[in-house]
Amino acid sequence: MIFKKLFSKKKWQSNKISDRISSISELETSNSEQKSILHELAFNDADKTVRRAALEKLNDFSLFWQAAKKEADEDVNRFALNQIKKALTSNSNDLASDSEKLNFIKECSNSQLINDIKYQLPTTELIEAALQRINKQESFIEALILGHLSDQTSLKTIQMLDDANVLKKLQKKLKGTNLAEVESKLAVIQQHAEALSQADKKARLTLAQLNALKDKSDFVEISSQYSELTITWNELSPLVLELDSHISTELTGKFQKLDEALKIKLSTLESAYLDIKERSQKEESKKRVTEELTSDLENFERNLNNLVENDGEIELGMTQTLEEISNRVEQAEINEASKSLITTRVEKLQRNLIDLPKIKAAQNQAQELIKQLQEMTPPDSVLALNDFNPQFKSVRSQWAELESKALLNSEKRREFKELVSNLTSAVKKLETEQNKKFSSFKRKQSELSQLITDGKYREAFGLFYKLESWYAELNDYQQSKIEKSWQESAAEVGKLKDLEQSIAAPKRQELLTQIEQLASKPLVDPSEQAHRVKVLRSDWLSLGRLEKDDPLNEQFNLASEKAFEVCRAFYSELEAERDKAYQAKILIIEQLEMLAQKLQSEAVSSWKDVEQLNNKLTKLWFDTGLIDKSKVAETNKRFSESSKLIKAKIAEQHKNNRALKSTLLEKATEIAKSEQTLADKANHLKKLQADWKLIGFAGRKVDDQLWTDFRKVNNAVFDDLGASRNESRDKSTELRKGLLEAIQGYQDKLTTIDNNKALRELEAEAKSLRIERSELERSDFEKVSKAQKALLDKLSNSELEIRDANRVNQYKQLFDGLEDLANGNTIDNSVLKTSWANALNANTKVDRLETTIKLEIMSDIESPERDNNTRKAVQMSMMTDKLESGVTYNQEELLEDWLSAGAVSKEDVDLVNRIRKVFLK
């Protein structure tokens, strides 16, 4: 006994759980030694109840977290986590300060814990730290919608988003500054999308322009345009790289090929260009030397002419100057033609230097010839040309003779040349006209002879009168060439005229009678009346020409005028209608001209509207009535010009649209032939289909064919995709049926399980069931997932039910065993919990009745009336312990105390039944 007392264990080291729990209330956390003991109990005690009580006594945030990470028991682990959650979500800083909370959230590896409490945290800073730790965009978006973020973080979150669909969803749920930022971000994304679309078009245009350079041969032009287009490509390159990878690779590859080909072409052309440039520079040098020699020669001539005009003498050094010019000409590297011309002038000057009076006489004669030219008036008709040409040719001939004999003043030569040039331009037109008439005359003269031979006298007379006027306009030489044949033709026509007069006289009298009758008795229909007048006059004219003063002509004209008077009112109304139609056509023309002008200077937003408007105006034009004949040519010209400009612009747009649609067709064909998956092909083709819709009409003959070809490529891919999806759908259906049958099998098996071990094994099997999203259609995946979740929920509930049933069964076995013990029977302790069996073997001084009443108080169960006073005392003691010592009571611990209160006797049967009610309600 002495040794037992000397080496007795301390209470916290007791084998009894109740002692160790009781000792915890006596230990103080302020004492470092006792705190170490509490720490030892919290993490190393064999009983979970003790570990939990020690943790609760320590009440330290860091220790709760340590227990949550290391504690194997589910209940203690859950308790520690709950304490952490309470500390983090509490507005109070008793257990953890804001900085400790923040550090914990930043360093915590349990993302599920952080995710569970993120919106329960007391400050925005902590919520944002939790979101940062979770590091999922969806969490930030959810917090943004719920309003848990600061203004700054809200803006940052919105700025990080690039998905237009997500932003559009936020647009419906946010307000104020955040909404404005979302709308701004959407605008930026839209602008960027448009920029990418424009970059695609510009890149393709740039590639087309680069490709066009391959067909050119001008080095300077190719080099200049190549540099500009390369700069343009480099500017577009960042955006091109952001395009779909397939498109980006295609465009970049084309540029690299074109760039390499053009560099080779430029290298080849450059050497030839440098050779040409060198030759050009030599020619420029020759030209410059020629101009210098010519200038010096003209200066010399000018000085010489001044001496002649002033009756001067040859000055000292003039001969030497001329000799120097001659030497320079001989040594100069200039064209042989220029050298010969300048040498001739020098030689002429050398000859004239010895006879100045002769030069002066020639100058005077030249001035006289110039004066004659100045006085000559350019001819304004072919007839005047015949009088003008002989004198003009004579003056030029005299000038040429004079210039060959003597040196003439350069200014006079220039003046004479200008006068000749001006008169020649006027003469040339008329000479051309005269030559045309001469050729036409000869051709028509043959035609005249044929008409006479064929007996077509009326046509022959008309042609003869026209040839008669042409003959007068021919020059002497031309007339001499055709004089004989013309005289013969005139004689034949004269004979025909005599014959005509003898035949036409009675017919003229008949027509005169008819027109006079029509004048006196007009027809009812004004248009028919006008037609008859026109026919009679045509017949009258067909009978041949009469002299203007012939009485018959006068009578017929007067009768025709009178007959036509009744038609004037009709034609006046017709004229008003035509004027109205003219005004309508002018309005249409003005609209067409305005449309044409806008197409030249402004960007078009809808070519479809342009084409519809043009078609509408064109139809209105042709539906509008007739107009005055004198205005037809002018209006038709204006309509044609404006319509032509519009059609040209529309045709140009059609051409561009054809190119764009052809490009899309090529892309679609490439995609269809590529090694991509059918789904990827379909997605790319859908984008191309959307782009196709944005492109306008490509021309009547081409557009339908392009669409047919484009649709054919698309249909082939989508048909394959449909077949693949049908196959995939069938596989998914089979897999779904198999999985649902397996889940139903687990459901059936669950009904036969009555223990947790078998239940956990079944749950492991159910969780290991392989459900691949990629192998199932969405609806099938959802059905299977839903069935699996329902099974797992049922398993979880069954586990709780089995656990509760086992617990109840354990209590029944205990209380039935206690009744057996009270009645003097023995029981098998092995079927009881170890702690209960140990407690039954102990013999403490615990008051069994008092413990029973404590259990009834904790369970809010009434005690027998006889124990009312005891109950009150016990209840007061429990309250005192809690207030003064912080003691809290646990039903399990009290049950162990009850069991350890010595052997159970018959007197305890009533107490057994009372605690049975506590645990088996």
Side-chain angles (χ1 to χ4, degrees):
M1 287 299 292
I2 296 172
F3 284 106
K4 189 176 181 180
K5 287 183 179 180
L6 288 174
F7 297 102
S8 62
K9 294 182 180 178
K10 295 183 179 179
K11 194 173 183 182
W12 63 271
Q13 294 175 321
S14 170
N15 291 330
K16 285 188 65 177
I17 296 171
S18 56
D19 286 345
R20 296 201 301 276
I21 291 174
S22 176
S23 71
I24 289 171
S25 63
E26 298 169 2
L27 296 172
E28 295 296 332
T29 57
S30 57
N31 184 300
S32 60
E33 184 179 349
Q34 292 182 10
K35 188 174 182 179
S36 296
I37 294 170
L38 286 169
H39 189 281
E40 178 68 20
L41 291 172
F43 290 98
N44 297 319
D45 194 275
D47 187 78
K48 65 177 182 179
T49 312
V50 176
R51 294 198 300 274
R52 172 172 171 167
L55 277 174
E56 193 170 1
K57 179 69 175 184
L58 286 167
N59 197 29
D60 185 281
F61 183 79
S62 61
L63 296 178
F64 283 137
W65 177 231
Q66 189 176 348
K69 289 191 289 184
K70 295 181 179 180
E71 179 59 58
D73 184 79
E74 186 177 342
D75 291 335
V76 179
N77 187 282
R78 190 184 302 111
F79 166 73
L81 282 175
N82 286 336
Q83 293 302 108
I84 291 169
K85 289 179 182 179
K86 287 179 184 178
L88 290 173
T89 57
S90 172
N91 288 318
S92 168
N93 293 334
D94 292 344
L95 192 57
S97 65
D98 286 342
S99 61
E100 287 175 326
K101 293 176 183 178
L102 185 62
N103 289 333
F104 173 81
I105 291 169
K106 287 180 179 179
E107 295 174 7
C108 178
S109 58
N110 189 341
S111 57
Q112 185 59 48
L113 168 65
I114 302 300
N115 189 55
D116 291 343
I117 63 166
K118 58 181 181 291
Y119 298 136
Q120 300 170 29
L121 296 170
T123 66
T124 301
E125 183 183 11
L126 293 175
I127 293 173
E128 291 178 358
L131 293 172
Q132 288 286 354
R133 188 61 183 162
I134 296 167
N135 196 25
K136 289 184 180 179
Q137 190 180 71
E138 310 89 72
S139 299
F140 275 97
I141 293 170
E142 182 185 25
L144 177 64
I145 294 170
L146 296 174
H148 288 305
L149 301 180
S150 66
D151 292 344
Q152 185 178 2
T153 307
S154 296
L155 291 177
K156 283 183 180 178
T157 302
I158 295 169
Q159 287 166 2
M160 286 190 299
L161 296 176
D162 291 318
D163 190 331
N165 293 327
V166 173
L167 288 166
K168 285 176 182 177
K169 290 179 182 177
L170 289 177
Q171 191 179 22
K172 298 175 183 177
K173 297 181 179 181
L174 299 182
K175 296 179 180 179
T177 308
N178 290 341
L179 175 59
E181 185 65 23
V182 167
E183 291 175 342
S184 173
K185 185 76 177 190
L186 277 171
V188 170
I189 291 173
Q190 180 63 30
Q191 289 173 1
H192 189 62
E194 290 173 1
L196 288 177
S197 177
Q198 289 297 318
D200 187 2
K201 293 177 182 177
K202 288 180 181 178
R204 295 186 184 279
L205 177 61
T206 302
L207 291 175
Q209 291 171 327
L210 284 168
N211 191 51
L213 293 181
K214 290 164 63 180
D215 299 328
K216 295 184 179 181
S217 56
D218 187 332
F219 172 78
V220 176
E221 182 184 3
I222 295 175
S223 179
S224 173
Q225 291 186 18
Y226 169 74
S227 298
E228 292 175 3
L229 292 172
T230 303
I231 291 170
T232 302
W233 177 265
N234 290 335
E235 290 172 352
L236 292 171
S237 185
L239 290 174
V240 170
L241 294 175
E242 290 186 43
L243 294 171
D244 180 84
S245 59
H246 177 73
I247 296 171
S248 176
T249 303
E250 173 206 351
L251 295 177
T252 306
K254 285 182 178 180
F255 172 77
Q256 289 171 350
K257 289 180 181 177
L258 286 170
D259 186 57
E260 185 177 350
L262 287 171
K263 282 178 179 176
I264 294 170
K265 185 180 183 72
L266 283 169
S267 176
T268 305
L269 290 174
E270 187 174 15
S271 58
Y273 166 75
L274 293 175
D275 290 342
I276 294 169
K277 186 176 181 182
E278 184 178 357
R279 288 198 298 271
S280 175
Q281 287 172 348
K282 286 182 180 179
E283 288 299 321
E284 281 292 325
S285 176
K286 290 179 181 180
K287 184 180 177 182
R288 187 171 62 255
V289 172
T290 302
E291 288 173 353
E292 289 174 359
L293 289 170
T294 303
S295 176
D296 291 346
L297 204 54
E298 286 177 352
N299 289 335
F300 186 86
E301 288 174 353
R302 196 177 296 110
N303 293 335
L304 183 59
N305 286 323
N306 289 335
L307 287 175
V308 172
E309 289 174 4
N310 297 321
D311 297 327
E313 297 292 335
I314 297 298
E315 295 178 355
L316 186 64
M318 288 186 74
T319 303
Q320 185 181 354
T321 301
L322 194 59
E323 186 65 31
E324 288 175 357
I325 292 173
S326 177
N327 292 335
R328 284 167 59 199
V329 171
E330 187 176 347
Q331 296 171 6
E333 291 184 7
I334 60 176
N335 297 332
E336 289 301 322
S338 300
K339 181 179 284 191
S340 176
L341 184 62
I342 295 172
T343 301
T344 301
R345 288 177 67 182
V346 170
E347 290 173 352
K348 191 183 287 188
L349 281 169
Q350 287 173 337
R351 289 195 303 269
N352 283 292
L353 272 177
I354 59 174
D355 193 358
L356 292 185
K358 183 181 177 181
I359 295 174
K360 185 167 185 179
Q363 299 285 23
N364 292 336
Q365 189 178 350
Q367 187 62 45
E368 180 61 31
L369 291 173
I370 289 170
K371 185 178 180 183
Q372 288 181 39
L373 283 179
Q374 289 173 339
E375 292 173 353
M376 291 175 72
T377 304
D380 56 359
S381 66
V382 176
L383 288 172
L385 176 66
N386 292 335
D387 296 330
F388 176 83
N389 257 346
Q391 183 186 358
F392 185 46
K393 288 179 180 177
S394 173
V395 172
R396 285 188 293 168
S397 177
Q398 292 176 52
W399 180 273
E401 184 180 357
L402 181 63
E403 196 171 22
S404 67
K405 292 179 181 179
L407 178 67
L408 298 178
N409 189 318
S410 60
E411 292 179 3
K412 284 183 171 57
R413 288 202 309 272
R414 192 178 296 112
E415 186 177 2
F416 181 85
K417 188 176 179 181
E418 288 177 1
L419 289 168
V420 168
S421 176
N422 293 335
L423 291 171
T424 301
S425 62
V427 168
K428 228 170 192 177
K429 277 188 182 178
L430 293 172
E431 283 180 341
T432 302
E433 185 181 342
Q434 191 178 56
N435 291 333
K436 283 183 180 178
K437 282 189 177 178
F438 180 60
S439 300
S440 299
F441 187 94
K442 290 191 290 183
R443 188 174 64 256
K444 291 292 183 181
Q445 193 175 15
S446 300
E447 191 178 322
L448 176 63
S449 300
Q450 188 62 45
L451 288 171
I452 294 171
T453 304
D454 295 343
K456 297 179 179 179
Y457 303 136
R458 183 183 172 191
E459 290 89 339
F461 288 147
L463 182 54
F464 177 77
Y465 294 138
K466 182 185 285 187
L467 290 175
E468 200 171 33
S469 65
W470 285 6
Y471 183 79
E473 294 179 350
L474 300 177
N475 59 41
D476 294 341
Y477 172 76
Q478 292 168 337
Q479 286 179 356
S480 68
K481 293 284 284 183
I482 57 171
E483 185 174 2
K484 184 180 178 180
S485 60
W486 175 244
Q487 292 300 331
E488 291 172 356
S489 297
E492 287 183 19
V493 170
K495 291 176 184 179
L496 289 175
K497 281 185 179 180
D498 294 339
L499 179 62
E500 181 193 37
Q501 289 303 320
S502 63
I503 296 171
K507 183 65 176 175
R508 282 197 179 95
Q509 194 61 50
E510 183 185 342
L511 291 174
L512 181 60
T513 302
Q514 289 180 14
I515 195 70
E516 286 176 343
Q517 185 179 359
L518 198 62
S520 60
K521 293 182 179 179
L523 299 174
V524 177
D525 186 356
S527 60
E528 182 61 27
Q529 175 84 358
H531 176 68
R532 288 293 299 143
V533 171
K534 184 178 180 181
V535 170
L536 290 172
R537 176 167 287 282
S538 175
D539 292 345
W540 178 271
L541 294 173
S542 69
L543 295 175
R545 296 176 62 179
L546 289 173
E547 299 297 330
K548 288 185 178 180
D549 55 354
D550 190 293
L552 283 176
N553 233 1
E554 186 67 24
Q555 287 178 20
F556 187 86
N557 288 337
L558 290 171
S560 296
E561 186 65 27
K562 185 175 180 181
F564 194 74
E565 283 181 357
V566 298
C567 303
R568 296 196 186 282
F570 169 74
Y571 282 111
S572 177
E573 292 178 7
L574 190 61
E575 185 65 27
E577 289 179 6
R578 288 181 173 178
D579 186 60
K580 187 176 179 182
Y582 173 72
Q583 296 301 328
K585 288 203 170 190
I586 289 296
L587 184 60
I588 293 169
I589 287 171
E590 288 174 350
Q591 292 184 61
L592 285 170
E593 288 175 341
M594 185 183 298
L595 177 59
Q597 185 179 0
K598 285 187 175 181
L599 289 178
Q600 296 292 335
S601 58
E602 297 180 13
V604 177
S605 58
S606 172
W607 280 99
K608 184 178 179 181
D609 293 344
V610 170
E611 292 189 50
Q612 288 178 348
L613 177 59
N614 180 57
N615 293 337
K616 182 179 178 182
L617 292 173
T618 303
K619 186 176 184 304
L620 283 172
W621 169 271
F622 288 110
D623 290 346
T624 305
L626 299 173
I627 64 172
D628 191 87
K629 287 183 179 179
S630 63
K631 298 175 181 177
V632 169
E634 177 200 351
T635 52
N636 283 351
K637 182 182 178 184
R638 287 180 64 186
F639 172 79
S640 178
E641 287 175 351
S642 57
S643 184
K644 188 176 180 182
L645 286 170
I646 294 168
K647 286 179 180 177
K649 280 291 183 182
I650 290 173
E652 183 183 344
Q653 184 61 26
H654 285 174
K655 184 178 178 181
N656 292 337
N657 291 342
R658 279 199 298 276
L660 291 172
K661 287 188 175 181
S662 296
T663 302
L664 290 183
L665 178 57
E666 290 174 6
K667 287 184 184 178
T669 305
E670 289 176 8
I671 289 168
K673 292 179 179 178
S674 69
E675 298 299 325
Q676 302 177 55
T677 63
L678 286 171
D680 289 341
K681 287 182 182 180
N683 290 332
H684 284 126
L685 289 175
K686 285 178 183 178
K687 185 178 184 302
L688 294 185
Q689 289 172 2
D691 293 341
W692 187 283
K693 290 178 183 179
L694 298 175
I695 301 171
F697 192 56
R700 189 175 302 167
K701 295 180 180 179
V702 183
D703 199 74
D704 288 343
Q705 186 59 48
L706 283 171
W707 171 244
T708 300
D709 295 343
F710 184 72
R711 187 174 58 185
K712 184 178 178 181
V713 174
N714 278 264
N715 287 348
V717 172
F718 284 103
D719 287 347
D720 290 344
L721 181 63
S724 173
R725 283 182 174 170
N726 288 336
E727 183 181 350
S728 176
R729 197 174 291 115
D730 292 342
K731 288 181 180 178
S732 176
T733 302
E734 287 185 23
L735 183 58
R736 169 177 57 82
K737 288 179 180 178
L739 290 169
L740 289 177
E741 286 175 3
I743 291 171
Q744 185 59 47
Y746 293 140
Q747 295 271 21
D748 296 341
K749 192 174 181 181
L750 177 61
T751 59
T752 64
I753 291 175
D754 59 357
N755 62 83
N756 278 336
K757 181 180 179 183
L759 191 68
R760 280 193 289 272
E761 289 175 355
L762 183 62
E763 184 177 15
E765 286 184 47
K767 285 182 178 178
S768 66
L769 191 65
R770 184 171 166 269
I771 304 174
E772 293 291 340
R773 175 67 183 87
S774 59
E775 296 178 3
L776 289 167
E777 292 291 315
R778 182 177 177 181
S779 58
D780 291 340
F781 179 76
E782 289 176 352
K783 287 178 182 177
V784 173
S785 297
K786 185 176 180 181
Q788 186 189 37
K789 184 177 183 302
L791 171 63
L792 293 174
D793 290 344
K794 194 169 183 180
L795 285 168
S796 178
N797 293 333
S798 297
E799 185 178 359
L800 293 174
E801 290 172 2
I802 290 172
R803 189 182 299 163
D804 289 343
N806 289 339
R807 183 174 59 83
V808 169
N809 187 47
Q810 283 181 328
Y811 283 128
K812 283 182 179 179
Q813 287 180 335
L814 173 65
F815 297 134
D816 290 346
L818 291 175
E819 286 186 1
D820 287 343
L821 288 173
N823 293 322
N825 300 322
T826 60
I827 63 172
D828 183 8
N829 285 353
S830 63
V831 300
L832 301 179
K833 285 174 62 175
T834 305
S835 59
W836 293 346
N838 292 336
L840 283 172
N841 292 328
N843 187 12
T844 63
K845 296 180 180 180
V846 174
D847 188 315
R848 187 162 278 159
L849 174 62
E850 185 178 323
T851 304
T852 301
I853 292 172
K854 284 182 180 179
L855 286 169
E856 288 173 336
I857 291 170
M858 289 183 67
S859 300
D860 201 21
I861 294 175
E862 290 294 329
S863 302
E865 188 175 348
R866 64 178 181 272
D867 295 331
N868 280 346
N869 292 331
T870 307
R871 181 181 176 113
K872 289 178 182 179
V874 170
Q875 196 165 10
M876 182 62 68
S877 173
M878 290 175 69
M879 289 178 62
T880 303
D881 289 344
K882 184 174 183 179
L883 292 173
E884 292 181 356
S885 305
V887 176
T888 57
Y889 292 91
N890 181 285
Q891 283 187 340
E892 284 292 329
E893 293 174 357
L894 288 173
L895 177 59
E896 289 180 16
D897 288 345
W898 193 96
L899 295 173
S900 67
V904 180
S905 62
K906 284 188 178 182
E907 288 78 11
D908 296 325
V909 172
D910 180 54
L911 297 180
V912 170
N913 290 329
R914 284 169 66 177
I915 64 170
R916 183 192 292 269
K917 292 178 183 178
V918 171
F919 291 96
L920 297 175
K921 295 178 183 178

